Amino acid sequence: MRVPQPLLRGRLVTRYKRFLMDIRLRGGRVVTVHCPNSGSMEGCLDANANVIASPKIGQGRLSHVAEWIRGPDGWIGINTQRSNAIVGEALRKQQIPELAGYEEVRAEVPYGKHSRVDFLLTSANLPSCYVEVKNTTWPGPDGALAFPDSVTERGRKHLRELARRVAAGDRAVLLFLANRPFGDRVRACHERDPAYARALAWAQRQGVEILCYRTTIDPPRVTLAEQVPVVLVKVPRAR
């Protein structure tokens, strides 16, 4: 996947109001760009870090969208709206072996209770496959990349919806997109959302498949790279 160009390059000044980011361009001018990331972005906001933004498509007062920020381990994908584009491209090119063989790949399909699944894969001779994608960037102290970086009731809802699809006879897959080069494995971030960690383990027991693939970021291009192991850790309930 290639993002629109020309790219805007600067240094992080601050991220605020969740969806805004100020960056300082060479020469000193500070510009505000859209930061499409609803998480805390903990572990991604080093002071004065390099930031790359792409031209914003469509209307709006902001001209650019933050795509990547430079961490100590390399570029980090912070535009969560790109995650589905990366995975969608890989699905259509049959580049994810566990999800290959489907004839049709549809995005944003309504399902469950007022939900939309990121991708629905269908084929005449295969069970329908529901795929949810989670952009994953939190660097754990144990060397693992983890999701989420803040409490996510929406994420737990997705796990429940996926489990219902398995119970109905379909396939359901949660795909973590490791969007930075940090970590040799991926796990639930029980430090930030223990309820999600327990829900993830529960969903796997119900038959939800859990996968993780890493990206290779070489601005302006991002591609799906190697598979990353997923480790589930038992999280006890608070007394």
Side-chain angles (χ1 to χ4, degrees), residues 147-148 150-157 159-160 188-203 205 232-238:
F147 177 91
S150 57
V151 173
T152 173
E153 171 55 37
R154 183 169 179 264
R156 295 196 294 275
K157 176 186 176 184
L159 291 172
R160 294 191 294 270
C189 188
H190 56 81
E191 296 94 332
R192 297 294 172 267
D193 192 346
Y196 183 86
R198 289 190 290 268
L200 183 66
W202 170 85
R205 293 195 297 272
L232 297 185
V233 179
K234 185 175 182 180
V235 182
R237 293 187 179 275

Side-chain angles (χ1 to χ4, degrees), residues 27-50:
R29 183 167 67 95
V30 174
V31 299
T32 302
V33 301
H34 181 212
C35 180
N37 191 314
S38 61
S40 71
M41 291 178 60
E42 183 180 356
C44 301
L45 297 173
D46 291 346
N48 205 38
N50 285 296

Side-chain angles (χ1 to χ4, degrees), residues 41-121:
M41 291 178 60
E42 183 180 356
C44 301
L45 297 173
D46 291 346
N48 205 38
N50 285 296
V51 177
I52 298 179
S54 68
K56 187 175 181 180
I57 306 300
Q59 297 181 345
R61 68 178 184 86
L62 301 178
S63 62
H64 286 76
V65 178
E67 297 285 354
W68 306 290
I69 190 166
R70 189 81 179 183
D73 49 316
W75 288 112
I76 305 168
I78 57 175
N79 182 349
T80 58
Q81 295 177 1
R82 299 286 183 206
S83 302
N84 283 15
I86 296 164
V87 173
E89 180 180 82
L91 288 171
R92 293 180 178 94
K93 292 182 177 179
Q94 304 282 311
Q95 293 174 337
I96 303 177
E98 297 87 348
L99 301 176
Y102 286 91
E103 298 170 355
E104 185 178 23
V105 178
R106 296 164 57 201
E108 294 294 321
V109 178
Y111 85 125
K113 298 180 179 179
H114 310 294
S115 295
R116 287 181 179 269
V117 72
D118 289 329
F119 297 100
L120 175 58
L121 315 182

